[in-house]
Amino acid sequence: MTARIWLDEEANQLVWRYKAEVGFNMKTNPPAPLMSRDQPNRPSRFPLGRAVGDGILTRDLEGRPQKGLLRIPDCIILKPTGPELAAMRASGRIDWKRLIPVKANIETVVEIKFEGDKLSPGQRDAYRRIAGPDRFRLLNANECECGTRRRRPAEEPVRAPVTTPMQRESTEQRRWYQPAPPQPAPAPAPRPVRPQYGPEVPQEEGSSMSSWLKAAGLAAGVVLVGVIAVAALPAEAVVAGVALLVVGRTATAAPINKDKKP
């Protein structure tokens, strides 16, 4: 318990209402706390050594330290409340006079006794002198309800993001400079359909314009090839070829007459 109170006291920069094992010089009236020499606002962590160094503990005729000149209660509770101490820490203005464990600032002196240990009349009188007759409390181990107290199930705290105005402004500015996210590739455009130049012409209606153009082109090509071939031959061959064509054409045109028998 003492170590835990000391840790809490140091963590809160000595602005704490619980003080553990504070030594008191019982020679003064009212008894004075023994404070640290290095930190005047903190009680001494070694009150026995401080009392010996200050000459508080004297020896009797047999050479033993006199009892009752130094008292070390288990716990001191000061009058300043938790909200008051929190306000001091937040503002940075600490009223150290209210944090010194003197009689005017003490709310309760607590002495803890376990089984087999009893409070002596000398301790009771000393603690009443330290805090006052109605500010002393004795705490026995059997008064603790730690084993019978029902423990509440731990609840997970709900965490909510906190955004300060500066963070919000920075996010808005950064949003304008961020590149646009990649867009999906567009679908391919449909291929154009070749236009139809009208329905096909039936055979009984004659040949279509496209068929006539194909035939005319083929005839012109044959004539051109023939002209080129004729130009390449000698004159005698050309004359013979023309005569042959004339004779053949005449023979083809003339009817065939056969002698009929009587």
Side-chain angles (χ1 to χ4, degrees):
M1 182 198 71
T2 299
R4 183 61 187 178
I5 292 177
W6 285 350
L7 289 175
D8 291 339
E9 187 181 17
E10 295 291 343
N12 289 275
Q13 301 177 359
L14 305 180
V15 186
W16 197 242
R17 69 178 310 203
Y18 298 96
K19 309 295 180 181
E21 293 192 0
V22 179
F24 284 89
N25 180 9
M26 303 304 296
K27 289 183 177 182
T28 61
N29 190 21
L34 302 181
M35 307 300 291
S36 172
R37 292 179 179 176
D38 298 331
Q39 295 177 285
N41 297 320
R42 176 178 61 81
S44 176
R45 296 288 189 255
F46 304 97
L48 182 60
R50 179 64 189 277
V52 173
D54 291 349
I56 297 174
L57 296 180
T58 59
R59 300 182 179 276
D60 56 15
L61 297 177
E62 297 180 357
R64 295 176 300 182
Q66 293 182 359
K67 294 182 179 180
L69 300 180
L70 174 66
R71 293 295 182 181
I72 308 175
D74 291 330
C75 182
I76 300 291
I77 303 177
L78 301 180
K79 290 182 179 179
T81 61
E84 293 177 349
L85 299 178
M88 289 184 189
R89 289 192 294 267
S91 63
R93 299 178 181 178
I94 312 301
D95 188 0
W96 294 108
K97 294 182 179 180
R98 299 184 60 192
L99 299 179
I100 303 300
V102 295
K103 188 174 183 178
N105 296 333
I106 296 177
E107 179 179 319
T108 307
V109 173
V110 180
E111 181 69 13
I112 303 174
K113 295 296 182 182
F114 293 91
E115 185 177 358
D117 190 11
K118 295 182 179 181
L119 181 67
S120 64
Q123 286 181 314
R124 185 185 301 272
D125 295 339
Y127 297 155
R128 287 178 176 177
R129 283 184 55 198
I130 292 174
D134 56 345
R135 297 179 183 176
F136 167 69
R137 179 182 176 185
L138 177 63
L139 180 63
N140 295 318
N142 54 10
E143 297 180 11
C144 179
E145 299 177 356
C146 299
T148 59
R149 184 179 302 173
R150 183 188 305 173
R151 295 184 178 180
R152 297 181 181 179
E155 298 180 358
E156 290 292 334
V158 179
R159 301 183 182 273
V162 178
T163 305
T164 62
M166 295 182 63
Q167 291 177 342
R168 195 180 307 112
E169 181 180 357
S170 176
T171 303
E172 290 295 330
Q173 292 179 355
R174 189 167 57 252
R175 182 172 60 86
W176 293 105
Y177 294 101
Q178 288 181 350
Q183 301 294 333
R191 300 183 62 181
V193 180
R194 296 187 62 182
Q196 300 292 336
Y197 296 99
E200 295 182 358
V201 179
Q203 294 295 330
E204 60 270 10
E205 294 184 4
S207 62
S208 61
M209 178 64 70
S210 60
S211 300
W212 185 86
L213 291 176
K214 290 180 181 179
L218 180 60
V222 171
V223 172
L224 181 61
V225 171
V227 171
I228 295 173
V230 169
L233 294 174
E236 296 80 2
V238 172
V239 173
V242 171
L244 182 61
L245 287 175
V246 171
V247 172
R249 180 66 177 174
T250 304
T252 303
I256 301 175
N257 295 323
K258 295 183 178 181
D259 295 336
K260 296 181 181 181
K261 293 181 179 183

